[in-house]
């Protein structure tokens, strides 16, 4: 498993990482989730990403159980703060950061997290308060580095130029062949500030695996058909014209000697500012296939042809 440096930190994280958004917050059985996590570790995937709000603590609790007894220095653990945990608990205030971090550490059964990320920007809390609180938890040793997910450009710049606070080293945007938008403005800006990307949904919630077929019934074991996961699945990604375009990517992947998901992950990893692509997996076999994408490199010409096929579905 190849690794890349995470921003201006000393963390070397695996090019493929394992997330727990929908799958490990109740989407699949616990035994299956733990099997995926252990398989990932066996393959050299050392970066594990979660959030307090995933299942309101369920994903962190499961990770804590799965990692019990595993050498803490052998993996890099990331979680997030911001999402609504109760009627009175949400946001990035100093009180919430302190409270939610301690609860996350308890669920994860660890004394520290390697990366603590602001899940979204909190318009109700002054940026200075958020950054000062994050700096305090770094100084306390509970957090090694800090990052953000889906923040506005102007707030990223403001935080990066703030004096006397811990610097952000990571950004976590949605990014895939069906969602390429961060590469235009976010990636160059982050590169200027020593921030790299850990991207989520690089397979467009499974659409770029080819499992969804035009005008066919949804696979019974898929996210789109799942009782809870399907509720937030982007319906426009299931339109027959788009799915037909995704099918046209399969011969390009085969020409590169890859499966379609490996091809899609390699497209994401072609970006120097991307440190890792977060996958979600319901079976160990999916982890094994996706992990192989870390060693694959594809010609620019094949990627250009792929972009020409799906580019007409890009918005704006």
């Amino acid at each position: 498993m190849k690794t890349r440096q995470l921003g201006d930190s000393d963390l070397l994280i695996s090019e493929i990482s394992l997330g727990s958004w929908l799958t490990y917050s109740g989407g699949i059985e616990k035994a299956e989730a733990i099997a995926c996590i252990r398989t990932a570790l066996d393959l050299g995937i050392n970066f594990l990403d979660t959030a307090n709000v995933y299942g309101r603590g369920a994903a962190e609790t499961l990770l804590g159980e799965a990692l019990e007894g595993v050498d803490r220095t052998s993996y890099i653990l990331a979680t997030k703060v911001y999402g609504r945990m109760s009627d009175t608990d949400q946001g990035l205030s100093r009180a919430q950061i302190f409270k939610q971090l301690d609860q996350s550490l308890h669920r994860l059964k660890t004394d520290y997290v390697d990366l603590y990320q602001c899940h979204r920007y909190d318009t109700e809390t002054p940026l200075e308060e958020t950054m000062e609180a994050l700096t305090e938890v770094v100084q306390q040793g509970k957090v090694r580095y800090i990052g953000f997910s889906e923040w506005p450009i102007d707030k990223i710049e403001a935080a990066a130029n703030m004096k006397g606070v811990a610097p952000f080293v990571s950004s976590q945007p949605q990014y895939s062949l069906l969602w390429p938008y961060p590469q235009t403005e976010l990636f160059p800006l982050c590169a200027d500030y020593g921030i790299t990307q850990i991207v989520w949904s690089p397979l467009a919630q499974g659409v770029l695996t080819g499992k969804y077929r035009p005008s066919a019934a949804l696979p019974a074991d898929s996210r789109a058909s799942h009782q809870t996961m399907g509720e937030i699945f982007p319906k426009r990604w299931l339109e027959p014209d788009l799915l037909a375009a995704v099918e046209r990517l399969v011969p390009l992947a085969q020409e590169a000697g890859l499966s379609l998901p490996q091809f899609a992950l390699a497209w994401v990893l072609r970006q120097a500012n991307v440190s890792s692509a977060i996958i979600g997996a319901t079976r160990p076999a999916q982890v094994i296939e996706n992990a192989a994408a870390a060693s694959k490199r594809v010609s620019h010409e094949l990627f250009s042809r792929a972009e020409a096929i799906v580019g007409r579905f890009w918005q704006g």
Side-chain angles (χ1 to χ4, degrees), residues 111-165:
D111 296 327
Y112 69 95
V113 289
D114 300 281
L115 181 67
Y116 200 44
Q117 303 158 99
C118 300
H119 211 161
R120 293 295 184 270
Y121 185 74
D122 183 2
T123 59
E124 304 298 318
T125 300
L127 178 59
E128 292 78 7
E129 179 180 341
T130 296
M131 297 307 296
E132 288 170 3
L134 291 171
T135 301
E136 286 187 60
V137 295
V138 170
Q139 292 170 343
Q140 292 169 357
K142 295 180 179 180
V143 171
R144 293 181 66 189
Y145 295 100
I146 59 173
F148 58 84
S149 177
E150 306 287 0
W151 268 32
I153 291 292
D154 63 322
K155 303 305 181 184
I156 298 170
E157 291 184 295
N161 289 306
M162 200 174 290
K163 304 299 183 184
V165 298

Side-chain angles (χ1 to χ4, degrees), residues 224-300:
S225 64
H226 192 275
Q227 183 175 358
T228 56
M229 293 190 286
E231 292 179 358
I232 56 175
F233 197 97
K235 298 302 184 286
R236 63 184 182 83
W237 283 352
L238 297 176
E239 295 175 359
D241 285 352
L242 185 146
L243 295 179
V246 170
E247 283 195 336
R248 292 175 57 200
L249 299 177
V250 174
L252 301 184
Q254 292 173 339
E255 191 172 336
L258 307 177
S259 67
L260 180 55
Q262 289 170 344
F263 183 84
L265 289 167
W267 183 88
V268 165
L269 292 169
R270 84 198 191 288
Q271 287 277 1
N273 193 243
V274 171
S275 290
S276 187
I278 302 172
I279 62 165
T282 58
R283 300 184 303 277
Q286 293 174 329
V287 181
I288 294 169
E289 180 181 3
N290 292 340
S295 62
K296 309 300 182 184
R297 296 297 179 264
V298 179
S299 72
H300 175 74

